[in-house]
Amino acid sequence: MNTYNNIPGIDTQGGFINPTLTSPNTPFELPFYQTRESLLDVQVYERFLNNAISRFRHSRTYKHYKGYLINLGLDRCQFHGNITNEMATIEMHHNMLTIFDIAVIITEHMLNTYGYITTFDLVNLLKKEHKNNRIQLVMLSLTSHQLYHNSQDFFIHPDMCFGNWQSFLEEYHDGITQDIAYKILYYLNRSIDEGESNDNGLLDLREKIYDWSVENGCD
């Protein structure tokens, strides 16, 4: 056993390649780099994602991003345009894909292309994709936001949303899992059915999502 610290009850293994903290007081190991092997346990994978998401939500980037969108003019509810942020609480809603879905896509993409990822990497990529406006978002009043999460019939068409989310899916297509592919395809099909005669590229994107899911072993 290689140890590199003097903290009682905690050992550092793995050298400089992938230092891992271990302790007889816990059954879990804490590696610096997460790999496909280290994330085989679903609970470990979920903890890794939730930890990074929590760090992102508490970052200055996340807190300032809503203000940035409001300064761009997204200062009112998309369902009730007469309600502005001066009249009621306006919240930023991740549409089509939750922040958890987005974290999964980024993580799977990194594992499939580089073979590893760290919490630091995931948090920074979440920040980057938001700052680059590549996440599908919509501004909703508090009441509308609550209604969305309590009704399966509440649908928000992409024409009502902000963000170049198609570009995000293009870049991180290696991370689209089967469940997420089905979720996106359902959303795109409903968007096409409820949209105008011009599908704004949704039909092409639908075909790409299907092809990517097959390439990723999701057929």
Side-chain angles (χ1 to χ4, degrees):
M1 177 184 298
N2 295 324
T3 61
Y4 300 91
N5 68 74
N6 296 317
I7 304 175
I10 297 179
D11 295 326
T12 303
Q13 303 177 356
F16 296 102
I17 298 176
N18 188 14
T20 303
L21 298 181
T22 64
S23 171
N25 300 316
T26 175
F28 305 110
E29 296 182 351
L30 185 63
F32 180 71
Y33 294 107
Q34 295 290 351
T35 63
R36 182 69 67 191
E37 182 179 357
S38 69
L39 294 175
L40 281 176
D41 188 314
V42 175
Q43 292 183 335
V44 172
Y45 198 155
E46 186 175 6
R47 281 198 301 271
F48 168 74
L49 294 174
N50 286 331
N51 178 44
I53 291 169
S54 177
R55 289 172 179 266
F56 170 63
R57 287 190 182 277
H58 288 88
S59 69
R60 285 183 295 178
T61 298
Y62 183 83
K63 293 176 181 178
H64 292 166
Y65 191 66
K66 177 183 173 182
Y68 162 75
L69 294 180
I70 288 175
N71 288 334
L72 285 181
L74 303 176
D75 58 351
R76 60 192 62 237
C77 177
Q78 280 296 89
F79 270 89
H80 303 284
N82 60 315
I83 300 178
T84 69
N85 64 314
E86 296 179 351
M87 302 167 57
T89 299
I90 301 296
E91 297 184 331
M92 185 174 67
H93 168 67
H94 288 81
N95 195 49
M96 181 179 72
L97 297 175
T98 66
I99 187 67
F100 191 87
D101 295 329
I102 294 165
V104 169
I105 290 175
I106 293 174
T107 299
E108 287 294 311
H109 175 83
M110 293 294 289
L111 292 176
N112 289 333
T113 54
Y114 296 97
Y116 62 88
I117 188 173
T118 67
T119 299
F120 179 81
D121 294 330
L122 181 52
V123 172
N124 277 325
L125 287 171
L126 286 170
K127 291 179 180 179
K128 172 189 171 184
E129 295 310 318
H130 281 78
K131 288 192 294 185
N132 288 343
N133 302 326
R134 300 208 304 173
I135 303 300
Q136 190 186 88
L137 296 167
V138 63
M139 306 302 278
L140 299 174
S141 65
L142 177 60
T143 301
S144 295
H145 204 178
Q146 291 172 339
L147 179 61
Y148 177 90
H149 287 292
N150 288 284
S151 174
Q152 295 182 347
D153 296 326
F154 201 108
F155 178 75
I156 303 175
H157 194 275
D159 288 350
M160 303 174 67
C161 300
F162 173 82
N164 187 9
W165 51 277
Q166 297 97 327
S167 176
F168 171 80
L169 295 177
E170 290 267 2
E171 178 164 345
Y172 292 90
H173 67 266
D174 287 328
I176 297 176
T177 65
Q178 183 178 42
D179 288 343
I180 291 177
Y182 288 157
K183 188 173 186 178
I184 297 172
L185 289 171
Y186 172 80
Y187 178 80
L188 293 178
N189 286 332
R190 187 165 178 182
S191 299
I192 293 168
D193 290 341
E194 298 191 11
E196 301 175 356
S197 57
N198 183 2
D199 66 90
N200 293 319
L202 296 183
L203 283 171
D204 289 340
L205 180 60
R206 184 177 65 180
E207 295 304 316
K208 289 181 180 180
I209 294 294
Y210 176 77
D211 291 341
W212 293 333
S213 68
V214 173
E215 290 175 6
N216 295 340
C218 302
D219 190 19

